[in-house]
Amino acid sequence: MDHQDIAAKAATLMPDVLSDLEGLVAIPSVAFPGYPAEPVHEMAEKTLAMFRAVGFENAALMEVPSGYPPIYGEIAGPPGSPTVLLYAHYDVQPAPPEQGWSSDPWTPTRKADGRIYGRGAADDKGGIAAHLGTLRVFDGKPPCTVKLLLEGMEETESNLEAFVEAHPDLVQCDVFLVCDMGNLEAGEPVLTTALRGDVACIVTVRTLEHPLHSGVHGGAAPDAMMALARLLATLHDENGDVAVHGVSSGEWTGADLSEAAFREGADLLDGVQLTGTGSMGSRLWSRPSVSAIGLDMTTIAGSSNVLIPEARAKISMRIVPGADPVKELDALVAHLQSHAPWGAQVEVVRTKEAPPFLCRTDGPAYAAARLALKTAYGKEPGDAGSGGSIPLLRTLEQLVPGAEFILVGPEDVAKARIHASDESVDPSEIEKLIVTQAVFLEELASAG
């Protein structure tokens, strides 16, 4: 199809695409333990029916030992044409009331800014809608072989890595088109080419054999919570940059996110300063970050006038593209073990070593994707990073050596607020994403 014809066809499809998206957002498909299973199964069945209707006639729910099933299907293209695997996920993050939603997260709501609000509107039901629209552009007959792999547990303990390792034949392809990312700002096209990794550990600090009266012993006997606080404070310097010796760091040279756009999406409280130095791209994508994401000690409700003998914190460190997760976690553990104040005892248990990921930018798929984005947006795309981690990508890279990865999506960083309250998607991003993906398939087919 001509590129102009693709754009025109995508525009006519948008009412149905957005209707489908709104129907999917209304299903609370939270796959986390403790949440009802029925909505997730409903989401899987409804999504399966939609993709069968757009050409994946053999699509099916795959059998897995546990958890919710991935959806797999294939449409054969002309003989000798390239194979593209489309990825997205149909599960979503929880949306508890305490997050502070301004509208019901399970009622898709179009607001004055033109965006559609609701849990999963961007992450990643917007990606599913884009895949549906892309297949409709071709009336279910794409110009090359297209495979479909939709995950049902991406937001929790994923079962997809084990599934693809057990069925490597299903994921053999030339290109993985991963629709679970987004532009830095709506209307400004980028390809995500680098993802930080994630390592984590639990640090326990002990100072006393048992609780002590805080009045009788306080001032001479150190409590564990204050020792832990001082230890955690050593992880950053006065600017908020990571101060762990031996951790890899670099400077981002691609497209950058403005401080204003970052503040808009992050909703910092009045007067709160940003941490770190350097460009936003460097701070978010090519330098490490350290966060305390959990804490165990006596609750305020259960507290009394005693010194705490033991306190624990879970530490997460995002690591830069190209870094070895084992070595990076080694450095974090060594820091925690050597910086405790007052001779406090420290125990560190490693809990996670997720690798970072770098996309090739020298292959035909990358070139086709850049052309496709320029066609859809009318401007040259940049390269961006992501602070999030997708360990699945490394597994797929090992199973399909030589395949290229194209990372796009409708989740604009400035306003989508994925995982937070008032998640939303800009419908124009979905439309341009449909055009991008359709042009991409055409370009690959003509080159292949």
Side-chain angles (χ1 to χ4, degrees):
M1 291 178 66
D2 179 85
H3 292 176
Q4 291 184 339
D5 292 339
I6 288 175
K9 182 71 173 291
T12 65
L13 292 171
M14 283 307 294
D16 287 340
V17 169
L18 295 183
S19 177
D20 286 344
L21 173 62
E22 290 172 338
L24 296 177
V25 170
I27 304 173
S29 53
V30 179
F32 280 59
Y35 285 80
E38 291 79 6
V40 189
H41 289 300
E42 178 188 359
M43 180 68 189
E45 293 288 353
K46 188 169 184 176
T47 304
L48 175 62
M50 287 179 168
F51 278 96
R52 283 178 173 171
V54 299
F56 287 98
E57 297 177 358
N58 64 353
L61 302 176
M62 298 287 101
E63 292 186 8
V64 286
S66 62
Y68 299 104
I71 297 172
Y72 178 82
E74 182 175 340
I75 301 175
S81 62
T83 298
V84 177
L85 187 147
L86 306 179
Y87 169 89
H89 62 88
Y90 65 82
D91 66 311
V92 296
Q93 281 280 321
E98 56 266 26
Q99 282 189 330
W101 287 75
S102 62
S103 57
D104 178 26
W106 311 116
T107 301
T109 305
R110 301 195 193 198
K111 298 188 179 180
D113 59 3
R115 299 176 70 93
I116 297 174
Y117 287 74
R119 174 58 83 223
D123 182 20
D124 187 27
K125 294 177 182 181
I128 289 174
H131 285 336
L132 288 167
T134 301
L135 268 295
R136 287 175 180 151
V137 166
F138 299 110
D139 296 319
K141 298 179 181 179
C144 54
T145 295
V146 177
K147 294 182 176 183
L148 177 72
L149 185 61
L150 303 180
E151 185 173 5
M153 298 185 67
E154 194 273 345
E155 301 288 11
T156 180
E157 295 298 324
S158 174
N159 58 13
L160 193 60
E161 286 185 75
F163 174 79
V164 299
E165 287 173 337
H167 304 281
D169 55 308
L170 297 183
V171 296
Q172 297 304 306
C173 63
D174 297 291
V175 185
F176 291 98
L177 183 51
V178 178
C179 196
D180 190 19
M181 291 290 166
N183 295 325
L184 304 182
E185 299 182 59
E188 300 297 326
V190 297
L191 283 168
T192 301
T193 57
L195 289 82
R196 287 194 296 191
D198 184 16
V199 299
C201 61
I202 296 173
V203 56
T204 302
V205 174
R206 301 182 180 92
T207 57
L208 305 168
E209 291 187 0
H210 51 75
L212 294 173
H213 191 290
S214 60
V216 174
H217 299 92
D223 74 89
M225 185 59 233
M226 295 306 294
L228 176 61
R230 291 178 68 93
L231 172 59
L232 298 184
T234 68
L235 294 171
H236 299 90
D237 64 19
E238 64 275 10
N239 296 315
D241 288 314
V242 172
V244 178
H245 178 72
V247 172
S248 303
S249 183
E251 298 301 320
W252 184 255
T253 59
D256 199 11
L257 180 66
S258 70
E259 182 175 318
F262 178 81
R263 282 185 172 275
E264 182 177 7
D267 283 343
L268 274 68
L269 296 178
D270 290 344
V272 175
Q273 301 175 1
L274 298 183
T275 55
T277 56
S279 70
M280 294 305 301
S282 293
R283 280 183 264 184
L284 297 172
W285 308 321
S286 64
R287 292 184 182 177
S289 67
V290 176
S291 304
I293 60 174
L295 183 67
D296 283 347
M297 65 162 286
T298 303
T299 65
I300 292 176
S303 64
S304 59
N305 291 326
V306 299
L307 303 179
I308 305 300
E310 176 181 305
R312 301 196 307 161
K314 185 173 184 180
I315 309 299
S316 169
M317 183 170 72
R318 298 289 173 164
I319 61 174
V320 305
D324 181 336
V326 175
K327 292 181 179 179
E328 302 296 298
L329 186 52
D330 284 345
L332 176 60
V333 170
H335 181 101
L336 293 169
Q337 291 173 333
S338 61
H339 282 73
W342 312 317
Q345 296 181 4
V346 174
E347 177 186 0
V348 184
V349 177
R350 300 163 183 255
T351 60
K352 187 176 185 180
E353 295 173 356
F357 191 79
L358 276 171
C359 296
R360 285 178 52 199
T361 57
D362 60 351
Y366 175 80
R370 289 189 61 86
L371 174 60
L373 280 166
K374 183 178 180 180
T375 300
Y377 284 87
K379 59 183 72 174
E380 289 287 346
D383 288 343
S386 173
S389 305
I390 307 180
L392 172 67
L393 300 186
R394 178 63 68 88
T395 301
L396 293 174
E397 184 180 51
Q398 293 171 344
L399 293 174
V400 194
E404 290 189 69
F405 288 79
I406 303 299
L407 277 55
V408 291
E411 306 162 15
D412 59 303
V413 175
K415 292 186 177 180
R417 291 175 58 90
I418 64 171
H419 294 209
S421 61
D422 286 349
E423 178 181 347
S424 68
V425 69
D426 186 329
S428 68
E429 289 291 276
I430 294 179
E431 181 175 348
K432 289 182 175 65
L433 190 54
I434 292 171
V435 175
T436 296
Q437 294 190 156
V439 171
F440 175 74
L441 295 179
E442 284 281 13
E443 289 297 315
L444 274 187
S446 62

